[in-house]
Amino acid sequence: MSAISPPPPAQTHPLRRVTRSRDADEHAHNLSQWDQRYDQLTPGSFEGAVTELWLPRTQVFVETANRRLRQTCAAWPRSVWFGIPAARDGMMCLGGKPLSSRAVCVRDGGAEFDLLTAPDFNLFGVVVDRLAFADYLDRRSHQDLDRLLLQGDVLHLAPGRKETLIATLADILADAGTPAAPASADALQLRIFGALAGMFEERDSAPAALSRSRLLHQQAVDKVRQYVLNHPEQPPTIPELCAHLHLSRRALQNCFEDVTGMPPLAYMRSLRLNAVRRALRYGDGLRPISCIAYDWGFTHMSQFARDYKRLFGELPSDSLRQG
């Protein structure tokens, strides 16, 4: 992750754009003013799109992709992010917490978080200037934004409320793209703030707390990921991981199946292949592919090429030419 992006410049009129990508990291960079890194976890050629709208104090977007991703993200500083995934129960996770079909994620801008997406997902997002939205909430309903945010990073909406919120955001994105009669920035801004305020007013009971076993599983997966990134040239074996984490083989397997839906070796291999892909696409192009692969512990080039093509739908040399 790079340094946190500066706050976006103020827009005096709606600014809408649509970008498409065939690479997960390129897709991550297509969301303006965010600091992000995406790892593709499920195999196949990647296709993603971002439709985003900038207003004076708000960014609204919808992000779609056809592969499961592990996203490491941070919105721009002095903001609040609301993530609204259109997915079934448990298909997506925020920081290891499975999200229900009525969940809305909330995070402060500038603070890094992890999101595990569904295999084929649709995610709406709203990022608001923190002071502007706090002032709006106070004037509209005398609610304190700081106090509301202390209640947790996942809101559980009343039945039907999330669908209404998604429809409202989709309408706003569509209206902003109408060339014949474009909506004004102020009008769109008020619609967005009003939709978010209504969400706070119509919440359901709090979602169930993350179980201790799920928390421990998430911590184990996080430790393995960090170990892999810290020792790229020496990918750990299962016995080494078990000894490092003081877990049995079965317990380690359960951790990964619970949190990622993948066996530990497959998950670690995906992380390493994504790292190689980033180096191929964004490097200087001077180092041989074999050297970059060796950097990440791939010592058998034919097997590496097969694994790479299975995950990304193309050979390493194709990625290098596209970079």
Side-chain angles (χ1 to χ4, degrees), residues 1 37 39 70 72 112 221-236 267-268 270-276 278 295-296:
M1 298 282 284
R37 185 177 64 226
D39 289 317
R70 184 193 183 279
T72 303
E112 184 177 299
V221 171
D222 289 343
K223 288 178 181 178
V224 169
R225 176 178 176 270
Q226 200 56 52
Y227 189 91
V228 170
L229 296 180
N230 289 342
H231 304 83
E233 72 290 347
Q234 295 179 322
Y267 180 77
M268 291 188 293
S270 295
L271 293 180
R272 292 158 52 222
L273 287 169
N274 275 275
V276 172
R278 274 189 285 273
D295 287 346
W296 285 94

Side-chain angles (χ1 to χ4, degrees), residues 107 241 291:
R107 278 294 175 123
L241 287 178
C291 291

Side-chain angles (χ1 to χ4, degrees), residues 166-212:
I166 287 175
T168 298
L169 296 176
D171 287 344
I172 288 170
L173 287 171
D175 290 348
T178 304
S184 72
D186 288 342
L188 293 172
Q189 185 81 66
L190 286 175
R191 286 169 63 185
I192 294 166
F193 278 9
L196 294 177
M199 175 186 69
F200 278 114
E201 294 164 3
E202 299 181 33
R203 281 182 300 166
D204 203 349
S205 57
L210 188 64
S211 70
R212 176 169 173 76

Side-chain angles (χ1 to χ4, degrees), residues 57-271:
R57 291 171 292 278
T58 303
Q59 177 190 28
V60 185
F61 62 87
V62 58
E63 173 188 3
T64 63
N66 66 341
R67 296 289 176 256
R68 189 168 215 192
L69 302 174
R70 184 193 183 279
Q71 302 184 350
T72 303
C73 320
W76 34 279
R78 297 186 292 281
S79 68
V80 180
W81 166 73
F82 299 92
I84 307 103
R88 299 188 302 275
D89 284 359
M91 293 294 288
M92 299 182 74
C93 297
L94 174 69
K97 299 178 183 177
L99 300 174
S100 78
S101 60
R102 289 191 266 150
V104 171
C105 309
V106 186
R107 278 294 175 123
D108 276 318
E112 184 177 299
F113 62 90
D114 291 335
L115 189 68
L116 187 66
T117 74
D120 193 357
F121 72 91
N122 218 357
L123 174 68
F124 283 81
V126 183
V127 190
V128 294
D129 178 271
R130 189 184 183 102
L131 290 178
F133 186 54
D135 180 66
Y136 177 88
L137 276 178
D138 182 55
R139 286 186 288 105
R140 169 181 164 138
S141 53
H142 303 294
Q143 295 191 86
D144 184 279
L145 178 60
D146 290 335
R147 185 180 298 275
L148 291 171
L149 296 181
L150 287 174
Q151 297 176 15
D153 56 7
V154 178
L155 305 178
H156 197 60
L157 302 190
R161 189 67 187 86
K162 183 173 175 180
E163 290 76 8
T164 300
L165 179 59
I166 287 175
T168 298
L169 296 176
D171 287 344
I172 288 170
L173 287 171
D175 290 348
T178 304
S184 72
D186 288 342
L188 293 172
Q189 185 81 66
L190 286 175
R191 286 169 63 185
I192 294 166
F193 278 9
L196 294 177
M199 175 186 69
F200 278 114
E201 294 164 3
E202 299 181 33
R203 281 182 300 166
D204 203 349
S205 57
L210 188 64
S211 70
R212 176 169 173 76
S213 62
R214 181 59 186 251
L215 179 60
L216 293 174
H217 290 177
Q218 178 64 44
Q219 290 173 344
V221 171
D222 289 343
K223 288 178 181 178
V224 169
R225 176 178 176 270
Q226 200 56 52
Y227 189 91
V228 170
L229 296 180
N230 289 342
H231 304 83
E233 72 290 347
Q234 295 179 322
T237 65
I238 294 298
E240 287 171 343
L241 287 178
C242 291
H244 180 65
L245 299 174
H246 307 291
L247 294 173
S248 66
R249 281 178 173 265
R250 181 39 118 184
L252 182 68
Q253 182 81 12
N254 289 341
C255 289
F256 276 83
E257 292 290 350
D258 184 28
V259 174
T260 71
M262 303 170 65
L265 286 179
Y267 180 77
M268 291 188 293
R269 183 168 56 248
S270 295
L271 293 180

